[in-house]
Amino acid sequence: MTEITFASFGFAGSILGALKAAGFEKPTPIQEGALPAGLAGKDVLGIAQTGTGKTAAFALPILQAMAANKLHSRRFATRALILAPTRELAVQIEQEFKKFGAGLGLNTVLVVGGVGRMGQVNRMSRGADIVVGTPGRICDLMSTRNLLIDQCQFFVLDEADRMLDLGFMPDIRKVVAALPTRRQSALFSATMPAEISGLAEGLLRDPVRVAIQAISSTPSRIEQTVHFVDAGAKRALLSSLLHDPSFTRAIVFTRTKRGADRVALQLNAEKISAAAMHGNLGQNARQRALEAFKSGDVRVLVATDLAARGIDVTGVSHVVNYELPNEPESYVHRIGRTARNGAEGIAVAFCDATELPFLNAIEKLTGVKMEVASGTRPAHAQPARKPQRHPDLVVRKPKPRRPQYGEQRKTRAA
Ligand code: ADP
Ligand code: MG
């Protein structure tokens, strides 16, 4: 069997050089599947979990086309538009375009919310080759005609299922409606709920379908354990785990933004360097937290699902599910933050009595029974707790007393 190399796809020399410099030796399976179609100008429907190399799978054909055809966009127009669900993902995608397109002299513009729009408008005024952004700000700039996509030749929707979860479908429909019919499109998603296949049908023309691994599969390189623990004992358990130096770079997931802030504060109080990252923080604060974590300045990133999906940091030794997610797919995404690029990783789950149904749903989806690290697995899920009031505390409305015979009715006017 001959091994497929990037060179065999006929990429421009500067792209090949950049791939080599980035340490990309051979294409990943999704790249092997999607690159020939993309390079042939075909639409692509890619189904693959995170960490499989989707970014290069859609970025390289666009760059190759632009290397061969150096058109200039008119003011505020772009030749390629990439939509991502979160700002961090958009930043990562933009960086990847810049990395592999470094020698091509292209103008790449990032259009995301949470930062001023003026700078983005200014950059768009020169005309762009590639715009990477999040749906809200993209629509915002389109509405003021500071972003024109009527001549856009390449359109990519990344992490489409996440877009759906975040309520971006109306924005995406607006964008798609403004695209020209003659274009090349790609849609990537880890899962294919009905809404996404519907969207794909309207968006893609005769697409080449590339499916790599169902979302239900967790990489076998990840060791998965669970601690059965009372909700009130999670804090102490977390700090005792994090005092173990083998937790060189850990992401701790909480369900809520406030929970993330609380846990990060508590860890810092215990001299464990931690930063919180979630959707309530401004874009700069989020990026700062991520950079500090990447550079190793902080050892622990405490994050919500929104902030951490798709984030690509190498060398994450542990993922701690401080609270289990109620959507089992989120668990798969969370633990996919470790064991990237074929490395090994450890996923630790904390499960209190109320979270047992979540644990069961996760184990059913992944088909992996987590090893019990501490506590004992309860035989039955505790029924979802309905707040039960003590009978003494139930307030009954007093019945209106009928006026007794002869008693004067009180009037309001009195
Ligand atoms: P996804 O979008 O599927 O989550 P990414 O595109 O973010 O995946 O890629 C995951 C990681 O793998 C990134 O660090 C990326 O640089 C790296 N990577 C992608 N393709 C290759 C390759 N062919 N060889 C080596 N590393 C790769
Ligand atoms: Mg990605």
Side-chain angles (χ1 to χ4, degrees), residues 320-404:
V320 179
N321 286 282
Y322 189 81
E323 283 148 342
L324 286 176
N326 44 6
E327 294 167 1
E329 288 83 6
S330 296
Y331 173 84
V332 179
H333 287 299
R334 286 178 176 190
I335 74 167
R337 299 308 103 213
T338 180
R340 296 185 73 79
N341 279 330
E344 294 186 353
I346 297 175
V348 182
F350 291 3
C351 180
D352 70 29
T354 63
E355 293 172 301
L356 196 59
F358 301 154
L359 182 73
N360 291 339
I362 290 164
E363 291 185 332
K364 196 170 155 212
L365 177 75
T366 62
V368 175
K369 193 123 181 138
M370 291 182 216
E371 196 182 308
V372 180
S374 73
T376 43
R377 189 182 284 265
H380 300 288
Q382 183 170 307
R385 244 184 293 160
K386 269 207 185 126
Q388 286 203 345
R389 292 238 181 96
H390 190 278
D392 288 352
L393 295 178
V394 177
V395 186
R396 291 208 179 78
K397 269 195 192 147
K399 275 199 186 134
R401 197 174 61 92
R402 276 218 218 133
Q404 301 288 304

Side-chain angles (χ1 to χ4, degrees), residues 54-55 89 158-159:
K54 288 186 294 271
T55 319
L89 268 171
D158 194 18
E159 308 241 2

Side-chain angles (χ1 to χ4, degrees), residues 165-177:
D165 294 346
L166 295 173
F168 285 144
M169 278 305 135
D171 282 346
I172 288 167
R173 289 209 184 87
K174 254 185 252 169
V175 171
V176 172

